[in-house]
Amino acid sequence: MSSKGGGTALTRRSYRLASDTDKPKATGIVNEKLLSDYLYHVFPSTKQGPALASLRKPLGFQDLGAHLERLLSEGEPAEDIRDQAVEGRLGPQPVVLDHTSGFEGLLFVDDDLLGVIGHSNFSSIRATTCVYKGKWAYEVLISSQGLMQIGWCTLNCRFNQEEGVGDTPDSYAYDGNRVRKWNVTTTNYGKSWAAGDIVSCLIDLDEGTITFCLNGQSLGTAFTNIKMGPGVAYFPAISLSFKESVAFNFGSRPLRYPVDGYVPLQNPPTADLMKAQKLLSYMKNVLSTVIDAQDERLVEKDCAAWRLHGEPTVLIALAHIFNHFAPLMCKVYLVEDVLMNFLLGILEGGGSVDEHPLIQQLLDLFWLLMEDYEVNECLKQLMMSLLRAYRFSPIIPDLGFQIHYLRLTTAILHHEKSRKYLLNNVLFDVLRSVVFFYIKTPLRVKEAGLEELIPTTWWPTHFDKEGKDEREPKDESADERLRRRAYERGCQRLKKRIEVVEELQVQILKLLLNNKDKTTGEASRYIFLNKFRKFLQENASNRGHPTALCPPEYMVCFLHRLITAVRASWDDGSRKSPSSVSSEEAYVPPQLFYNGKVDYFDLQRLGGLLSHLKKTLKDDLASKANIIIDPAEIQNASMDDLDEDEESGAAQRPFGAAAMGGALARPSWLSSPTLGRANRFLSTAAVSLMTPRRPPTQPEKVKVRTLAVEHRTEDDIEGSHGNDGLLLGRPPEEPEQPMADKSLLEIVDGIVMMYNLSVHQQLGKMVVVADDVHEYAVALKDTEEKIARCPPRRADILDELQKSQKVFAEKLNHLSRRLAWINATIYSKEKMLDVYWLLCVCIRTIEHADSTGSLFAFAPEFYLNVAMNAYSALKNYFSPANSMEELPGYEETLTQLAAILAKHFADPRIVGTDIKDSLMQALASYVCYPQSLRAVERIPEEQRVAMMRNLLAPYEQRPWAQTNWILVRLWRGCGFGYRYTRLPHLLKTKPEDANLPSLQKPCPSLLLQRHMAELLSVDKDMAASFLNSVLNQLNWAFSEFIGMIQEIQQAAERPERNFVDTRQLKVCATCFDLSVSLLRVLEMTVTLVPEIFLDWTRPSAELLLRRLAQLLNQVLNRVTAEKNLFDRVVNLRLPGTHTHTHTQRHTHRDTHTETHTHTHTHTTHTHRDTHRDTHTHTHTHTHTHTHTQRHTHRDTHRDTHTHRDTHTHTHTHTQRHTHTH
């Protein structure tokens, strides 16, 4: 409607007939008097007193423009007053950060020049405006809680990479990370801040004081008697360390916490504010007034029920209002102050968002009466204001603020046109919408009101002997039980409140996943999908801009809400087609990995790089999946690989810089010389298809576009008329089961990728709070026991103990409430089920991909990673509150995972060394726990045998340390040399280490030992090569160990004072460890399959027996002979070697170098016993042992029979018997 600018002429022309009373009344055109009354009612004048209605001049549309201008100019300050500089302040308006000259170090500054991110060690920046008189304030929104110093400085402060605001004489700063104030020297001050807090910086240049507030609460005067006088003026300034980020508000938006008497550095737009408020009141009048043309009167009604009916009178009145209102709504200050508060006011009453249709009507009105660019700007500012409000609201017990802002966001996103605009242009740029799915954890429990919500605190007080807290303590006193139950009720109350917020967040996601709103172009879901993919890409490429990386704590919340929303949409879809896969059975079909429809950026595939796989597997793709790779593309890809390698040294990088087909055009800040090539490569990526219905003589090639993500349409994703969309190229092994919505598959795939990117690490990080609670609880219990034992005469000791008891109890009160919050938001039962669902999705996906034979190589590595990580998260992170056994189908899932690990740890289709290592380590820790070991025993027999065969492959060409450790674990508890379940010097373990695989009690697997025995006795060549390789490695490890001990001894005997290098000690410990575990494997082989050594029909038996005898002699001579080297080094007790002999014995928790052989038991009984004896410096057994052993060896050569006899003797526990034959 062109009522903008000089549009009044037009309205006058079209509505000249309005005064003709002979018009029929029903047309909605109103007579002159009624119109005049209506307009006076809508646009009341403030000046004229209650002038009689009969006396005032009739008002028609032709005069309305002028009337409105007059009303708006009332009360406006005169022009010349407005532009005068305010005394006490120097510098330009608007106030921004000085990005031209006022900074030190490297920083990223946002486009609006108000946000800043540190990009070097300690960078500083100041504002463009300074103050020298009066009382001034500005606010800083803390986006990350790291090291920052915020405050004021003068022009002559010189900063560098070490010294920032507060480190020079005329600068003053507050630092909430270390809770201190700085002015050259530093003292404690204030409280600690967290991401999402707002710091107000106040300076009073009349009194000479500086004060800081946190979330509106004053922290007290920080500095008094600051330097003042001629030539001294203060600039707002900040220093921040690497990757810390904040945003300033100098007054460009309303201050969140204004302080009386202090003025923001930037003038508020008072004139515009008055105008906007007036226009808004006129708009409310229109909404609440109905013209009753029959009775010729005006009727008041509730504006919540207002509808846009298209009555010309109403529309023209609104058009006049919007003529002035629209330009104002492009300004941040007014959107935040006027519009947002108005819309929030509409939702005040409570009730569901759908019950407030007025917001939808208003948004329709906006799109109707404002220019597109104005609506766009207005919506963008509104959304940004909501995001800021949501993110920087303090947490109160009922989460009222958060709920309030989320409800308005939901209401706005209900409006289809607005939703699509926001999705396309605002929501996923620089990860904005992700903020809405985050619930921040309060650092300061008191202010978050958790004390009222959880009045009684509780923490575990009963620990079993290994330091773990028991789940159901038997001797819990009645008082403790009451406290625990009260605490649990408090936690439930908190959880209910958090669930309200989570439900709103899921609602927002469901709106974004709507795939039915096709009336205004592409459905929301497909816009969301493309944005989501781009978001993943920015987070997956390591060269991402730090501003674009999503913080892991946001990712965790986003992941859970997304899983909930996707599963809901999936089940909605599968209800409509009953035959399709339900979300319980969800998996990602293997063709997604190779048909080029989904972009995996440059993520590693199981078989290496995509370009390489396309080259090597092109025949398989053609025969199995009917996908023909364009030879031109292969040519291009390989040429590009060569260039890339030369240019960027990609050969050294594990990921390689080879661009992937269909990679996105990257944001401009990523443009580097090598990436230009990646973009050129896009145009050539075309996958061709042949249609299988024709006879295979002359396959007709159908070119399929591999599209950049932005250009994909719904057809490309969902498919139509016999086109499979995302599921193009189904391999014959894949069952033809319909999937409800193919677009959801891609989101599920993205969820798995998100878990791999940062969610898993974050889940591991948050366990710290539970560990802290545990440590403090142990300390408190310890202190209370000491108080009970304290003799009455030592009042001084008692006093100290009571002080520390008080400190521990306070800390526990705080931490247990914080833990309640973390358990509700991160480790709740629902979240556990989400991670479990993800684990099952990965397992099913891997199983389906595995069935495609060679095409398995196309599957991305992260699926295997997530399967292993999700399992360990369920086992270790969620454990105390929710037990894994309660999960549905838990046993079966464990077995499926065991089968995957057993099958793929030596799968030739997998090439990445990292992923191979992870698989092997996962299998190694899997066999350490009884439950998961039983799962390995439940997998089909042929798979078990294949796994043992892989474990027994010769050690030369592969990383053997982990597989050797797996064999040791399968044996441990059956041989000699293992009398105790925990190693003596590790008895005092920290509670968090109690779960380490290496410290588990032995749980040998007789079934797998049987497989091993069968394999070795049947396959003679394999047995010989396996044993020879074990003996070779053992020779190497043992001689290395002895060599190092000699070096240590020589170093120790030198007269000058010196220290043995700790690194050398670690290497020495590792060699010892390797020797011990190799000896254990040898012991196992000798016990299980003695015929390898004793069956003379085997060509290698004699040689192996001789090697075994030599080896035992060497061990005995080196370790057990009297006054030998080993003994002397143990007795040296050097500062380093005392711990070292312990280490030699066992603790290798820190020697992860290449080995996973953390703890291993001592080997053949001689070795262990003597070793233990040397350790305790007694030599009683030693001689008998050496003797015995030598004896047996002499006998061995005499005849086989006695050897077998002596052998069995030596391997039962008759260690002290001396055998005479």
Side-chain angles (χ1 to χ4, degrees), residues 225-239:
N225 299 329
I226 59 173
K227 184 173 169 187
M228 297 191 296
V232 180
Y234 287 94
F235 290 86
I238 182 173
S239 299

Side-chain angles (χ1 to χ4, degrees), residues 130-244:
C130 60
V131 291
Y132 56 89
K133 180 174 156 187
K135 296 162 85 167
W136 302 91
Y138 71 93
E139 286 181 347
V140 182
L141 286 65
I142 308 285
S143 310
S144 65
Q145 57 194 46
L147 191 93
M148 295 182 273
Q149 291 170 203
I150 301 176
W152 303 86
C153 73
T154 60
L155 198 54
N156 53 16
C157 292
R158 292 282 164 265
F159 302 132
N160 56 34
Q161 290 287 310
E162 304 300 323
E163 295 185 339
V165 182
D167 298 330
T168 60
D170 295 338
S171 61
Y172 303 88
Y174 159 53
D175 164 6
N177 180 34
R178 293 173 289 192
V179 198
R180 309 181 81 79
K181 57 182 180 181
W182 297 80
N183 172 231
V184 186
T185 57
T186 172
T187 44
N188 290 341
Y189 170 81
K191 298 178 191 161
S192 64
W193 62 39
D197 283 342
I198 296 184
V199 174
S200 318
C201 306
L202 315 172
I203 191 166
D204 178 347
L205 287 161
D206 304 332
E207 299 294 323
T209 59
I210 290 178
T211 310
F212 296 96
C213 307
L214 189 62
N215 294 332
Q217 297 187 340
S218 172
L219 301 174
T221 304
F223 303 101
T224 50
N225 299 329
I226 59 173
K227 184 173 169 187
M228 297 191 296
V232 180
Y234 287 94
F235 290 86
I238 182 173
S239 299
L240 24 65
S241 51
F242 186 62
K243 285 207 173 158
E244 301 302 337

Side-chain angles (χ1 to χ4, degrees), residues 256 471 520 881:
R256 189 67 185 272
R471 285 205 66 181
T520 53

Side-chain angles (χ1 to χ4, degrees), residues 3 42-43 64 68 72 275-276 278-287 314-328 369:
S3 65
V42 171
F43 303 103
L64 181 57
L68 196 53
L72 290 177
K275 265 192 200 167
K278 278 183 192 166
L279 289 162
L280 192 62
S281 68
Y282 303 153
M283 204 187 310
K284 286 182 190 158
N285 292 341
V286 173
L287 300 183
V314 175
L315 273 178
I316 293 172
L318 283 169
H320 274 286
I321 295 175
F322 270 91
N323 194 13
H324 294 281
F325 192 61
L328 294 177
L369 295 176

Side-chain angles (χ1 to χ4, degrees), residues 46-47 69-78 82 270-272 274-275 278:
T46 44
K47 276 213 180 129
E69 291 280 349
R70 194 167 57 249
L71 287 181
L72 290 177
S73 61
E74 279 173 19
E76 253 192 30
R82 228 182 347 187
T270 34
D272 285 350
M274 277 173 61
K275 265 192 200 167
K278 278 183 192 166

